[in-house]
Amino acid sequence: MYDCNFNKQPTETALKTESPGTTRGPLGASDRAVGGVHQVALLTHVDLVCPETAQDVTNVYKSRVVQAAINRAAALLGVSTSYIVPVKNYSSELDVDHNTDVLLLNAVDHILQYADLYFLDNSPPPDCETP
């Protein structure tokens, strides 16, 4: 799984990626789908990318800025945009926000669906016994 986050810099917003066992930076082809496992990227800190998302996280899928970030991450990683899941981090909040929880749970659900697909694709076929 990759973690894509946007760090605001004075002149530009830089896309950084992190994968377990790799260094930050653009990913090579060897870092993508390993052993038939679907890759999922979490686009974190979407509230820092888009002011309207910072005010109301329910706008995350309506925001053109977030959609552009998803498209950039997909192009960088060489995957479909459906493999990029936007989330908002609990970095400075003291209280739980249900809308932020929905985004996080959606990401977990997305990851679990791909894990289930992996097991369905890689499980041995059932024994075909005739009575």
Side-chain angles (χ1 to χ4, degrees), residues 41-95:
L42 299 179
L43 185 67
T44 60
H45 299 287
V46 293
D47 54 321
L48 300 179
V49 176
C50 177
E52 69 182 45
T53 303
Q55 290 178 350
D56 184 6
V57 76
T58 61
N59 292 325
V60 73
Y61 289 106
K62 299 174 192 172
S63 169
R64 291 180 190 208
V65 176
V66 173
Q67 187 60 46
I70 290 171
N71 290 335
R72 281 184 54 207
L76 176 70
L77 297 173
V79 298
S80 170
T81 55
S82 63
Y83 291 96
I84 312 295
V85 183
V87 295
K88 179 181 180 239
N89 298 49
Y90 277 113
S91 54
S92 62
E93 292 82 359
L94 297 176
D95 296 324

Side-chain angles (χ1 to χ4, degrees), residues 9-21:
Q9 295 179 348
T11 56
E12 66 178 343
T13 301
L15 176 65
K16 294 186 177 184
T17 61
E18 183 177 334
S19 174

